Amino acid sequence: MPVTKHINELIASRRALLGGLAGLPLLNLAACATQPATSGGEVAPVATFDSLPATNADTISLPAGYRWRSVIAWGDALFEGMPERPDLDAMTRAEQERRFGQNNDMLALFAADYAFPPPTDQDRLILCANNEYATLDLAFPALDRPQNVSAAQIEALIAAVGVSVVELRREGASWRATRSPAPGQGFNRRITPFTPVQFAGAGAQHPWIVAAASVVNNAEPDRTGGRAPADAVRCGTMANCAGGLTPWGTYLTAEENFDGLFFGRDTDIDARRLSDPAYALDSTSFSYPGGGGSAAPLAPRQFRIAENPHGPALYGWITEIDPYDPNSTPKKRTSLGRKKNECATTALARDGRVVVYMGDDQRDEHVYKFVTRGRFDPNNRAANMDLLDEGQLHVAQFLENGEGRWLPVSAAAANAAAEAEESPIRFRDEADVLMRLRDAARLMGATPMDRPEDVEAVRDNEWRGLGPVLIACTNNSERGFDHPGNPRRESERPYTAQSNLTGHIVRMDEAGGDCASERFTWDVFAMGGDPDATELTAAIRGGGVHAHVSTKVNGVAKNVGARFACPDNMFIDSTHRVWIATDGSDGIFADCNDNILMAPLNAEGPRPIKRFMVCPVGAEVCGPLMAPDERAFFTSIQHPGANTVAGAEYGFLRWSDPPQKPPSSFPDGGDAWPRSAVVVITRDDGGRIGD
Ligand code: FEO
Ligand code: CA
């Protein structure tokens, strides 16, 4: 992003869905660890690789003895009988619905033959990948001006978002993507913002959903030949950031920055805001409409805010997908609440109930967990399919003394809290609390966090949570007072005195080692920053603003070794090594592109951190995970070329006069147009990653 932008935008990962359309003049568009040890207490073995030096190379940089290759990239064919590589300028909705989506984020792997516990010796895996957003800046290479974008191209961009499912086959220690015969045959599949989905759970009949569903189904015809259930809404899923997977073999995709898909201006909804305070709060909290004002006539009707003012109520949910059935209808699990979901990580409580951890990634939002009423049945997959519809949602409250509480969320509790605070906000029923969860959580005393992104629980080989849970707080660029769990570092520079530009990771330990507990303790796991810094602050990329880079808390260093900032996604392997992917680290430490680091879960003294991988120019790295045998490491390279090493946004450079070439050609190299891609990393000797 351009260095001239406000610091909030500079380091935030909240990219507009149709980013290339935003801010342009004429348009005026404003895990799958399968063999963890049985306790969370031991120290992980030292990884043998040498920590990588910082680099701005436009490739995947790895330690000696490791190699990488691209598994699949944006636009690659998912089905037989079509050209394998895309013609990006000829991309249509119909083509995109049969090709891998853009800007892949979270990754999950499933054994091709479901079993529980998940087997580790598979030759075939199902890969689910989120496609978080689409951007005109990196699409349609021959397009000369954004003002010349067509309605068909906008529809193709929307279809590039959602989820891609693709079968992988083993090749030695590595893996390659395969193509299915045709949609509905084999595992390969696209799920887009047009796909029929069902709303399930306690919030499914909220009047905002009912109203928006009617608009969507009138605008988007049934293209399934009547195969979709009668109550399906053809709104699909979008803004899919991270997520999780369940022990019964389904994929949970987390809808995050859904505001970016809606086209319109504030004036389109001003009257509704004035007449409905709840709507005013909701649209302000989630920042919709996202933009695209003068391009609104080109957008499909259901995404125009003036014609579908409650459209944003259809998103912000955790959506569950059965990857084993390419014709299954995804279900939005409304009982888990609506927010800007970064993730949905599952673990089993001691009594077999299922716990889902979620972070709401926006400044000063909250961390949640849902505990099902029913128990997981390892012998009957079908019996688990609707477990996520009934249970208790909680929100985290961190206390100064290092303890914390999970507050049960309900309409009664939220209304009582509102009354005690003399707030006029009220909630009609449980559905209303789930829809407007942020307001309920805030009133109840939930702790504001520094943009909680991934939440990962340490599990054993039977999916049981062992107690430790890590929360990546990527950063908080606004001044604010510290909150328990979100330390502020002292600084001689006023601007940085109470912000947290480099982020940190919090560890909580559930009481009694039980994920269903309503009590926990917490500590800071790692501080983003520079352990070797000789000064408390450092100028960030582009200068002007200084970030506090000390990794000390109360004078004690939390970590040593590689410097990093903006932790985002994490993966905890069977040896309890924590693999940390960054998003925006290059905006703080300009000498190194975003990267993956490794830290032991448990450590004596300051936690030693090594840099394992550095991604190409202008990309963020996300979705880290290992194959079940831990001999292959998968990760998403999202939006290569979105900015230069110096931090200039390509969305600005591309439409300049004269236009400039993208600053990356990943993964194809040469003069190729950059494409987001899934890559797999293996060892030259085929051994286990990290050993
Ligand atoms: Fe999509 Fe919070 O990153
Ligand atoms: Ca993320």
Side-chain angles (χ1 to χ4, degrees):
M1 294 189 174
V3 293
T4 51
K5 284 200 171 182
H6 187 273
I7 180 62
N8 293 351
E9 297 173 58
L10 186 64
I11 62 175
S13 69
R14 298 180 52 224
R15 298 172 192 279
L17 180 78
L18 298 169
L21 297 176
L24 290 163
L26 181 60
L27 293 170
N28 188 29
L29 305 176
C32 189
T34 52
Q35 298 177 307
T38 52
S39 84
E42 72 274 27
V43 174
V46 174
T48 56
F49 63 84
D50 291 331
S51 187
L52 270 184
T55 176
N56 292 123
D58 184 35
T59 187
I60 304 288
S61 300
L62 294 167
Y66 286 82
R67 63 179 67 184
W68 69 275
R69 75 181 191 198
S70 173
V71 176
I72 194 165
W74 171 43
D76 283 348
L78 294 176
F79 300 101
E80 296 170 358
M82 48 193 303
E84 185 173 349
R85 293 294 182 92
D87 178 345
L88 293 179
D89 280 306
M91 193 69 89
T92 62
R93 170 179 166 181
E95 274 287 302
Q96 187 62 82
E97 286 174 340
R98 295 159 65 91
R99 293 182 175 276
F100 194 74
Q102 197 185 17
N103 288 321
N104 44 281
D105 198 303
M106 159 98 185
L107 305 175
L109 292 168
F110 300 86
D113 297 308
Y114 172 77
F116 186 86
T120 59
D121 57 347
Q122 294 290 291
D123 291 327
R124 297 164 62 220
L125 294 170
I126 306 170
L127 172 72
C128 290
N130 282 347
N131 300 112
E132 185 175 17
Y133 74 109
T135 172
L136 189 64
D137 297 342
L138 291 168
F140 304 112
L143 185 67
D144 58 347
R145 304 174 69 203
Q147 295 87 343
N148 291 336
V149 70
S150 68
Q153 287 174 318
I154 288 179
E155 200 171 14
L157 282 175
I158 292 172
V161 175
V163 173
S164 298
V165 183
V166 58
E167 181 183 338
L168 307 183
R169 294 272 170 92
R170 173 188 293 284
E171 276 187 351
S174 194
W175 297 82
R176 64 176 174 83
T178 69
R179 284 184 276 174
S180 291
Q185 300 175 29
F187 296 126
N188 290 10
R189 179 181 190 184
R190 279 300 319 282
I191 296 162
T192 75
F194 300 109
T195 301
V197 300
Q198 288 173 292
F199 284 77
Q205 295 304 315
H206 191 282
W208 291 0
I209 293 177
V210 173
S214 172
V215 175
V216 169
N217 283 355
N218 280 326
E220 171 66 15
D222 179 7
R223 299 170 199 257
T224 69
R227 196 178 59 239
D231 64 348
V233 183
R234 295 183 279 275
C235 66
T237 184
M238 56 106 158
N240 310 81
C241 192
L245 58 174
T246 66
W248 54 94
T250 59
Y251 183 54
L252 302 179
T253 183
E255 299 172 349
E256 191 192 21
N257 297 313
F258 53 86
D259 50 307
L261 189 75
F262 285 90
F263 288 70
R265 297 187 172 96
D266 282 343
T267 49
D268 293 327
I269 54 173
D270 279 348
R272 192 171 295 265
R273 282 172 165 158
L274 285 171
S275 65
D276 185 348
Y279 187 82
L281 281 173
D282 196 72
S283 57
T284 302
S285 177
F286 289 110
S287 305
Y288 61 81
S294 58
L298 296 176
R301 182 167 169 248
Q302 64 268 41
F303 302 115
R304 301 179 212 151
I305 199 76
E307 294 173 71
N308 190 14
H310 286 303
L314 300 174
Y315 305 99
W317 305 104
I318 300 297
T319 298
E320 184 172 14
I321 296 166
D322 181 357
Y324 292 93
D325 178 358
N327 295 312
S328 60
T329 302
K331 291 188 176 176
K332 303 222 176 190
R333 299 299 182 185
T334 63
S335 296
L336 278 62
R338 176 168 164 266
K339 48 204 176 292
K340 288 194 172 181
N341 293 292
E342 175 74 21
C343 64
T345 301
T346 64
L348 295 176
R350 290 211 167 163
D351 61 6
R353 287 179 292 165
V354 183
V355 179
V356 186
Y357 292 95
M358 296 166 282
D360 183 349
D361 179 14
Q362 192 165 304
R363 283 184 293 275
D364 299 328
E365 291 300 332
H366 311 112
V367 173
Y368 298 86
K369 79 173 180 185
F370 179 81
V371 183
T372 60
R373 191 173 78 170
R375 291 172 169 75
F376 171 62
D377 183 347
N379 301 311
N380 184 354
R381 181 173 187 250
N384 302 305
M385 284 302 197
D386 292 319
L387 273 177
L388 299 183
D389 282 344
E390 289 187 69
Q392 179 62 56
L393 186 60
H394 304 75
V395 66
Q397 184 183 59
F398 292 73
L399 305 175
E400 294 278 1
N401 64 359
E403 298 178 352
R405 301 186 295 194
W406 287 107
L407 307 175
V409 179
S410 67
N415 284 331
E419 198 164 336
E421 288 192 20
E422 300 183 353
S423 164
I425 295 174
R426 291 292 183 278
F427 303 89
R428 281 192 311 276
D429 52 21
E430 300 308 322
D432 208 27
V433 166
L434 295 169
M435 177 65 72
R436 300 159 54 212
L437 180 59
R438 287 176 160 185
D439 295 328
R442 193 170 293 112
L443 287 164
M444 289 174 55
T447 299
M449 307 291 289
D450 291 347
R451 293 188 53 204
E453 300 242 30
D454 204 359
V455 184
E456 290 292 322
V458 180
R459 298 186 300 235
D460 70 9
N461 63 345
E462 296 196 330
W463 222 276
R464 188 181 54 148
L466 299 176
V469 177
L470 299 180
I471 305 164
C473 294
T474 196
N475 62 56
N476 192 330
S477 55
E478 287 192 346
R479 294 186 66 180
F481 297 103
D482 66 340
H483 299 285
N486 299 270
R488 291 292 178 272
R489 295 168 272 201
E490 293 304 314
S491 170
E492 72 276 17
R493 294 178 188 271
Y495 183 85
T496 62
Q498 294 184 354
S499 57
N500 178 16
L501 299 184
T502 54
H504 67 289
I505 300 172
V506 186
R507 170 173 170 159
M508 61 166 58
D509 282 84
E510 299 274 33
D514 186 358
C515 287
S517 174
E518 293 193 353
R519 298 271 171 176
F520 60 86
T521 57
W522 65 267
D523 193 9
V524 174
F525 177 82
M527 295 294 283
D530 182 356
D532 299 323
T534 54
E535 296 193 19
L536 289 175
T537 61
I540 72 169
R541 182 175 62 188
V545 173
H546 280 64
H548 198 296
V549 295
S550 168
T551 61
K552 293 179 180 175
V553 176
N554 296 326
V556 178
K558 302 303 291 188
N559 41 287
V560 295
R563 73 185 197 180
F564 71 98
C566 307
D568 189 336
N569 301 143
M570 299 176 291
F571 172 74
I572 304 171
D573 71 18
S574 68
T575 66
H576 293 173
R577 293 169 178 144
V578 182
W579 304 80
I580 304 160
T582 69
D583 173 15
S585 188
D586 56 339
I588 304 294
F589 300 121
D591 63 346
C592 190
N593 303 339
D594 268 315
N595 50 100
I596 293 177
L597 307 111
M598 193 285 300
L601 177 68
N602 300 300
E604 294 169 0
R607 180 165 282 100
I609 296 184
K610 286 184 172 183
R611 185 181 291 122
F612 172 64
M613 170 270 208
V614 181
C615 80
V617 171
E620 71 174 269
V621 58
C622 37
L625 88 164
M626 291 190 195
D629 62 7
E630 300 196 342
R631 295 197 296 147
F633 191 108
F634 290 83
T635 188
S636 270
I637 305 301
Q638 190 182 127
H639 59 75
N643 55 265
T644 67
V645 168
E649 190 176 4
Y650 185 59
F652 177 77
L653 300 176
R654 176 174 177 184
W655 312 113
S656 303
D657 186 16
Q660 297 186 29
K661 286 185 174 178
S664 171
S665 59
F666 188 85
D668 304 308
D671 290 331
W673 191 259
R675 298 188 295 157
S676 295
V678 177
V679 301
V680 60
I681 298 164
T682 52
R683 280 174 46 167
D684 294 344
D685 63 5
R688 197 165 80 163
I689 303 296
D691 283 357

